[in-house]
C-alpha cells in the first residue's frame, strides 16, 4: 500500500510547553496516541483526509514539534494544505498562547500549585471544527471519560471518512452533512444512547446555518451564545463548555456535579452557592483563565488532592495513555 508524505516543523511555540501532557490526557478520537507520538486525523473542506503525526524534536527541544503528514498515494499535499494543517494544529494545541499570567495566578494559590503537578506548560486540546467540539460536549453529558472515549471512537469509525495507510486504518470526524443524512436509530448504533436525538438536531442546525457558521470566530460571546441556544436541547452548560473546547474561550466555566464538589471542597466550604454564583466566583477569582483553572482542578483530582491531605470520592478519568 503506497502513500504520500510531507514533513515540516512547528518552531514558534511559546514556552513553557508540555507536549507529554497532550499525549497522556484527554485523547479523544480522532486524536490518537502512539508511544511518543500524538496523531490527529483531519478532513479538509474538500473531503481529503490527512493523518498528522506530531512528535517532539529529537533533541527534546520544547519549542519545536515535528509534523509528518500522510495521504493516500493517489493524492498530493499542497502548500496550502500544509499551511492549513500547521495553523490547525497550532490552534488546537494552544502553541502560541502566552501563559505567563496564568502561571502567576497558579503560583499565588497553594491549591492550584498542588493541582498543576509542576506541569506549567500544560494546555488543553481544542477541536479543529465547531461541529466536533459540540459533539464532544454532547458525548460528555452524564458520562464517564471512558464512555466519552468510546462514543467518539464509535462515531468516527462508523460515520467518518476512512484513510488506509501501511500502519493502519484511520477515520476522520464525521461532517454535519453525513450525520444529518442518518436517522436517529442509525445514530444510536454508535452507542450514543439518548444523545442521538440532539445529535441529529445539531447536525441539521449546522447544515442549515453553514454560511453563518463560517464567521462565528469573529462574533462576540453574546451573539455566539444566542445563536447556538436556538438548537433544541442545547443550554448554557453545553454552550459554555463548547466555547472552551471549540473556540478556546479559556474564561468559560461549566458547572457539573464534579466541578461543584471540587469548588465546595476547596474554596466555598459552607457557603451554599447555586451554579450561577459559582460561575461568578470563578470569574472574579481567576478572570480570563477561569475555564483553564477548572480544567486543572478536575484533572487527576484524587491524586493531587491527596498530596495536600484531602481524600476525594470522585475520580478523574482524564488520563488516557492510549486510545487505539
Amino acid at each position: 500500500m503506497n502513500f504520500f508524505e510531507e514533513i515540516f516543523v512547528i518552531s514558534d511555540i511559546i514556552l513553557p510547553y508540555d507536549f507529554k501532557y497532550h499525549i497522556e490526557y484527554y485523547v479523544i478520537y480522532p486524536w490518537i496516541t502512539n508511544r511518543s507520538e500524538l496523531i490527529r486525523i483531519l478532513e479538509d473542506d474538500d473531503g481529503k483526509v490527512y493523518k498528522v503525526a506530531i512528535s517532539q524534536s529529537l533533541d527534546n527541544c520544547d519549542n519545536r514539534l515535528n509534523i509528518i503528514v500522510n495521504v493516500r498515494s493517489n493524492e498530493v499535499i499542497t502548500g496550502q494544505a500544509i499551511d492549513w494543517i500547521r495553523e490547525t494544529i497550532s490552534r488546537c494545541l494552544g502553541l502560541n498562547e502566552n501563559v505567563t499570567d496564568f502561571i502567576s495566578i497558579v503560583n499565588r494559590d497553594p491549591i492550584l500549585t498542588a493541582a498543576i503537578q509542576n506541569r506549567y506548560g500544560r494546555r488543553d486540546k481544542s477541536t479543529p471544527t465547531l461541529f466536533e467540539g459540540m459533539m464532544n460536549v454532547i458525548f460528555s453529558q452524564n458520562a464517564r471519560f471512558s464512555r466519552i472515549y468510546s462514543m467518539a471512537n464509535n462515531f468516527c469509525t462508523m460515520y467518518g471518512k476512512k484513510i488506509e495507510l501501511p500502519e493502519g486504518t484511520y477515520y476522520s470526524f464525521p461532517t454535519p452533512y453525513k450525520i444529518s443524512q442518518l436517522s436517529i436509530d442509525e445514530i444510536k448504533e454508535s452507542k450514543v444512547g439518548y444523545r442521538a436525538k440532539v445529535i441529529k438536531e445539531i447536525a441539521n442546525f449546522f447544515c442549515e446555518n453553514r454560511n453563518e457558521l463560517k464567521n462565528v470566530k469573529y462574533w462576540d460571546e453574546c451573539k455566539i451564545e444566542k445563536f447556538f441556544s436556538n438548537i433544541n436541547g442545547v443550554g448554557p452548560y453545553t454552550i459554555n463548555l463548547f466555547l472552551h473546547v471549540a473556540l478556546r474561550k479559556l474564561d468559560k466555566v461549566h458547572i457539573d456535579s464534579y466541578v461543584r464538589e471540587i469548588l465546595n471542597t476547596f474554596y466555598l466550604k459552607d457557603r451554599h452557592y447555586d451554579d450561577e454564583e459559582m460561575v461568578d466566583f470563578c470569574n472574579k477569582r481567576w478572570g480570563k483563565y477561569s475555564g483553564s483553572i477548572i480544567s486543572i482542578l478536575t484533572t487527576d483530582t484524587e491524586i493531587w488532592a491527596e498530596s495536600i491531605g484531602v481524600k476525594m470520592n470522585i475520580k478523574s478519568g482524564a488520563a488516557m495513555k492510549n486510545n487505539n
Side-chain angles (χ1 to χ4, degrees):
M1 189 183 301
N2 297 317
F3 62 96
F4 190 81
E5 180 176 279
E6 286 283 355
I7 302 173
F8 64 93
V9 174
I10 296 177
S11 58
D12 55 352
I13 301 169
I14 297 177
L15 298 178
Y17 170 62
D18 187 346
F19 177 64
K20 289 183 179 179
Y21 180 83
H22 277 146
I23 292 177
E24 296 172 359
Y25 291 85
Y26 303 103
V27 186
I28 301 173
Y29 202 94
W31 292 104
I32 308 160
T33 58
N34 181 27
R35 299 184 180 88
S36 60
E37 279 188 335
L38 177 66
I39 296 169
R40 173 68 210 200
I41 309 303
L42 293 173
E43 181 177 347
D44 66 18
D45 291 339
D46 296 322
K48 183 185 290 187
V49 180
Y50 305 82
K51 177 199 171 195
V52 183
I54 310 159
S55 61
Q56 208 156 33
S57 59
L58 293 177
D59 58 0
N60 288 320
C61 186
D62 288 342
N63 70 339
R64 289 206 304 272
L65 292 177
N66 295 327
I67 312 294
I68 302 176
V69 183
N70 293 144
V71 293
R72 299 181 185 90
S73 59
N74 61 338
E75 297 176 330
V76 296
I77 304 171
T78 65
Q80 185 177 11
I82 291 295
D83 290 343
W84 169 70
I85 292 168
R86 182 193 302 273
E87 189 279 330
T88 300
I89 296 301
S90 293
R91 177 177 56 81
C92 288
L93 301 185
L95 302 181
N96 303 126
E97 293 171 357
N98 191 316
V99 295
T100 302
D101 291 342
F102 168 75
I103 291 172
S104 295
I105 292 171
V106 171
N107 284 338
R108 291 196 298 267
D109 185 327
I111 296 168
L112 296 180
T113 302
I116 203 167
Q117 302 178 87
N118 291 317
R119 307 195 84 154
Y120 288 94
R122 57 159 283 171
R123 295 167 202 184
D124 292 330
K125 297 183 192 72
S126 294
T127 56
T129 69
L130 298 176
F131 182 66
E132 181 180 338
M134 187 66 81
M135 289 297 97
N136 280 352
V137 175
I138 298 302
F139 295 156
S140 72
Q141 293 177 348
N142 302 310
R144 294 179 179 274
F145 267 104
S146 58
R147 181 96 166 86
I148 299 170
Y149 298 136
S150 175
M151 282 188 277
N153 196 305
N154 292 340
F155 203 66
C156 293
T157 55
M158 292 182 68
Y159 311 127
K161 198 165 184 179
K162 180 168 64 174
I163 178 171
E164 293 183 287
L165 297 169
E167 65 273 24
T169 300
Y170 304 92
Y171 300 85
S172 65
F173 199 89
T175 64
Y177 178 77
K178 172 67 177 180
I179 301 305
S180 72
Q181 300 304 298
L182 302 173
S183 68
I184 291 175
D185 285 340
E186 287 174 318
I187 295 172
K188 283 183 177 179
E189 291 177 8
S190 63
K191 309 298 183 185
V192 296
Y194 70 90
R195 302 168 188 82
K197 184 177 180 180
V198 71
I199 287 172
K200 174 77 169 179
E201 292 269 2
I202 293 168
N204 289 341
F205 181 86
F206 270 70
C207 291
E208 293 163 5
N209 295 278
R210 57 184 177 275
N211 291 328
E212 291 91 334
L213 285 161
K214 293 175 183 177
N215 298 312
V216 165
K217 63 182 178 181
Y218 304 114
W219 296 355
D220 62 46
E221 290 181 12
C222 288
K223 184 174 180 179
I224 294 173
E225 291 169 4
K226 184 177 180 180
F227 180 73
F228 286 104
S229 66
N230 290 316
I231 306 173
N232 291 329
V234 172
Y237 169 88
T238 299
I239 293 173
N240 279 343
L241 188 50
F242 163 74
L243 287 170
H244 185 94
V245 168
L247 291 172
R248 299 196 72 80
K249 302 291 186 182
L250 304 182
D251 62 320
K252 285 300 174 183
V253 175
H254 66 283
I255 303 295
D256 56 21
S257 59
Y258 194 21
V259 174
R260 283 188 210 102
E261 178 164 345
I262 291 170
L263 290 177
N264 283 325
T265 299
F266 294 100
Y267 292 101
L268 302 179
K269 307 300 182 184
D270 295 326
R271 286 171 282 181
H272 301 289
Y273 283 9
D274 61 24
D275 289 359
E276 188 174 330
E277 289 172 321
M278 283 187 175
V279 170
D280 187 56
F281 169 85
C282 294
N283 289 336
K284 287 179 178 177
R285 190 178 184 96
W286 300 310
K288 65 180 181 180
Y289 296 108
S290 296
S292 297
I293 298 299
I294 292 299
S295 178
I296 290 175
L297 291 170
T298 54
T299 301
D300 286 345
T301 311
E302 70 280 6
I303 296 173
W304 64 258
E306 188 174 356
S307 74
I308 55 175
V310 178
K311 184 173 179 59
M312 296 295 293
N313 294 321
I314 300 178
K315 291 187 177 182
S316 168
M320 186 66 173
K321 297 291 185 182
N322 195 314
N323 66 342
N324 280 322

